[in-house]
Amino acid sequence: MKKTDLANYIENVNKLTKITEPDVPYIFDKLELPDYNQPIPIITRELWTARQRQAHSLHEISYRACFKPQLPRFFISRLTTESQVVYDPFAGRGTTALEAAFLGRKFISNDINPLSKILTQPRLLPPSITSISDRLKTIPKKPSQPAINHLDMFYHKDTFDEILALREYFLNKEKSNSLDGIDSWIRMVATNRLTGHSPGFFSVYTLPPNQATSIEGQIKINEKYKQRPEYKNTYDIIIKKSRSLLSSEIQEHERVNLDRARKSAIFLTKDARNTPEIESESVALTVTSPPFLDIVQYAEDNWLRCWFNGLDANEIGKNISTPSSIEVWQAVMKAVFLELYRISIFGGHVAFEVGEVRRGRVQMENLVMPIAISAGFQPVGVLLNEQVFTKTSHIWGVENNSGGTNTNRIVLLKKP
């Protein structure tokens, strides 16, 4: 390495370490790209998890491929100031949005799947357990018209009637534009409790709640476990989950921040490559995790949640990009980065959480860096957070160091 290159490398490392705690051990490495004239620093260390506060209970909404709340908090707290705008173009369950709100930032949340807003917005105005309970008492436990239980592989008939009654109630409320914050909260919790692998869900034992199996798949699960759906009291389950979500104390300043963020929040259901609703040079920080090639089928996972909310999962699925080839994925992400460059303020950052896929054969930072640079961004570095192994990390093909740790990989960029 030339002396000037080494000086630039050390300078970049110093810039990167300013957002880390000096007493935590780390490992330096570098990423060298053929068409970029200086090495890009890579730092591996524990950045959050054990060293940060426990995530707020309001985050505990199941969604496929979501990252820990500590990840966006790490970057939001270090790279933005109060009232600046934080953006997530692939918002999912709304982790970035909620953390931005807690920290007194404005946010823009975008996801091609309308479920994202349904799962995120109600948590900005948490109701009391008493108000939830009182509202549930006003909702019928049977639909207005008798219906055949076409989901009897998932639900007992009486449970299915209660689910249909809830669905009918929410769809009518939405149609009449009278869905308030308490209704939205109950709908969000019910959506989250539709299926799962514990007694705390409406369904018989099935896949984890972030993956709804097909009707055929559930029939096979029932045969395997010799099980039949038993009655589940949806009212009790909604109350129990609400208590869990509200179990962390919300400090007064956090409640004020949540309400302020709610009033200024922008929720979009757009292709992340084309978001004209977002003003140019308005976003201080983007924190996101994009769809990874064809690994996760978001529409298939959410078909039951979509049905409950009157959404067409097939139509939504047509608009979700899950490219099967690296070349197509890069083309899609390049267009996303061009849009992120347009909306970012000068000096603003992008924290792009990527992963190892195809059993570690593809490290996504090697794909992301060239297209981000071509869009105009300056690489700050790659942060690798080592954390305790998680049950779903095998989805990404991470080897996890013999099953002991799992690594978040974040490409950090700056608009110069």
Side-chain angles (χ1 to χ4, degrees):
M1 188 185 302
K2 296 179 181 178
K3 186 174 181 180
T4 53
D5 291 339
L6 179 61
N8 287 333
Y9 177 56
I10 293 172
E11 181 183 355
N12 277 347
V13 169
N14 288 337
K15 287 178 181 177
L16 188 58
T17 55
K18 285 180 182 178
I19 66 168
T20 63
E21 299 170 21
D23 61 329
V24 181
Y26 47 78
I27 299 171
F28 283 148
D29 199 351
K30 62 182 182 294
L31 173 65
E32 296 187 274
L33 301 176
D35 299 320
Y36 193 67
N37 61 6
Q38 65 184 51
I40 300 166
I42 301 173
I43 292 182
T44 302
R45 56 177 288 176
E46 183 186 73
L47 298 165
W48 49 83
T49 313
R51 299 188 63 82
Q52 290 203 358
R53 74 163 197 175
Q54 184 178 356
H56 200 282
S57 58
L58 275 176
H59 281 291
E60 295 306 312
I61 292 294
S62 300
Y63 201 83
R64 187 77 176 268
C66 55
F67 46 50
K68 290 179 179 294
Q70 289 90 341
L71 189 156
R73 171 170 283 265
F74 180 87
F75 294 102
I76 294 167
S77 62
R78 287 163 171 79
L79 298 176
T80 65
T81 58
E82 285 198 8
S83 297
Q84 284 192 310
V85 177
V86 177
Y87 175 49
D88 189 341
F90 306 104
R93 70 172 181 173
T95 305
T96 296
L98 195 57
E99 279 300 305
F102 270 127
L103 291 167
R105 276 62 166 173
K106 298 177 182 178
F107 72 81
I108 302 173
S109 178
N110 177 65
D111 199 288
I112 201 70
N113 194 334
L115 279 174
S116 181
K117 181 179 179 180
I118 290 172
L119 295 175
T120 304
Q121 193 174 42
R123 287 177 284 154
L124 298 170
L125 189 63
S128 68
I129 292 296
T130 300
S131 63
I132 296 167
S133 178
D134 289 345
R135 184 60 56 84
L136 280 169
K137 292 173 185 176
T138 70
I139 302 175
K141 285 207 167 187
K142 287 188 178 295
S144 58
Q145 298 293 327
I148 297 173
N149 184 2
H150 66 284
L151 296 176
D152 60 353
M153 66 293 301
F154 290 99
Y155 307 112
H156 184 278
K157 182 186 183 304
D158 293 339
T159 306
F160 184 67
D161 280 347
E162 293 179 16
I163 292 170
L164 281 182
L166 285 166
R167 181 177 186 268
E168 183 179 274
Y169 173 84
F170 296 132
L171 293 179
N172 287 338
K173 281 280 192 172
E174 195 164 47
K175 188 176 181 180
S176 63
N177 199 31
S178 59
L179 192 79
D180 64 14
I182 300 172
D183 289 330
S184 297
W185 176 277
I186 296 171
R187 181 178 65 170
M188 177 265 293
V189 175
T191 299
N192 188 246
R193 298 289 94 185
L194 286 173
T195 60
H197 57 309
S198 78
F201 294 88
F202 301 162
S203 71
V204 71
Y205 178 92
T206 182
L207 295 181
N210 51 12
Q211 295 172 257
T213 188
S214 65
I215 286 174
E216 295 77 15
Q218 186 59 40
I219 291 171
K220 291 179 180 177
I221 291 173
N222 291 351
E223 291 173 349
K224 178 180 178 181
Y225 290 98
K226 296 180 175 57
Q227 63 183 11
R228 293 179 63 183
E230 298 179 351
Y231 170 67
K232 302 286 190 71
N233 188 315
T234 58
Y235 174 106
D236 290 347
I237 290 172
I238 290 170
I239 291 294
K240 183 178 179 181
K241 180 59 179 177
S242 293
R243 289 189 189 280
S244 175
L245 286 168
L246 298 169
S247 61
S248 296
E249 182 180 359
I250 301 177
Q251 302 295 325
E252 183 57 31
H253 76 278
E254 291 178 324
R255 193 173 291 276
V256 170
N257 286 344
L258 287 174
D259 192 51
R260 186 184 295 125
R262 177 182 63 85
K263 291 175 180 176
S264 65
I266 297 175
F267 287 95
L268 301 176
T269 309
K270 302 281 292 186
D271 186 320
R273 294 169 287 186
N274 182 29
T275 54
E277 295 83 356
I278 305 177
E279 293 182 11
S280 297
E281 299 170 20
S282 63
V283 174
L285 171 66
T286 295
V287 185
T288 196
S289 183
F292 294 133
L293 301 176
D294 57 352
I295 296 169
V296 177
Q297 301 300 320
Y298 296 89
E300 291 179 14
D301 289 345
N302 285 299
W303 71 271
L304 200 49
R305 291 179 174 187
C306 286
W307 166 79
F308 180 74
N309 288 283
L311 303 172
D312 188 329
N314 291 327
E315 284 302 311
I316 293 169
K318 291 176 184 178
N319 297 319
I320 296 176
S321 297
T322 51
S324 58
S325 73
I326 289 172
E327 292 75 19
V328 174
W329 187 88
Q330 283 186 300
V332 170
M333 288 303 122
K334 181 174 182 179
V336 170
F337 274 113
L338 287 170
E339 184 69 345
L340 293 180
Y341 187 86
R342 178 187 71 80
I343 66 176
S344 296
I345 64 174
F346 290 99
H349 291 83
V350 173
F352 208 72
E353 200 265 347
V354 296
E356 297 172 337
V357 298
R358 305 281 166 84
R359 298 196 176 278
R361 294 192 300 273
V362 179
Q363 293 185 341
M364 302 294 280
E365 65 266 26
N366 294 322
L367 307 181
V368 169
M369 277 298 187
I371 58 178
I373 292 169
S374 70
F377 284 102
Q378 173 186 326
V380 177
V382 180
L383 289 174
L384 275 62
N385 177 55
E386 288 192 340
Q387 61 184 27
V388 177
F389 174 81
T390 59
K391 287 187 273 188
T392 56
S393 61
H394 67 278
I395 293 169
W396 317 119
V398 179
E399 293 301 327
N400 290 305
N401 299 331
S402 301
T405 60
N406 180 28
T407 303
N408 288 107
R409 311 176 76 86
I410 300 95
V411 172
L412 187 60
L413 308 160
K414 183 177 183 178
K415 181 174 177 177

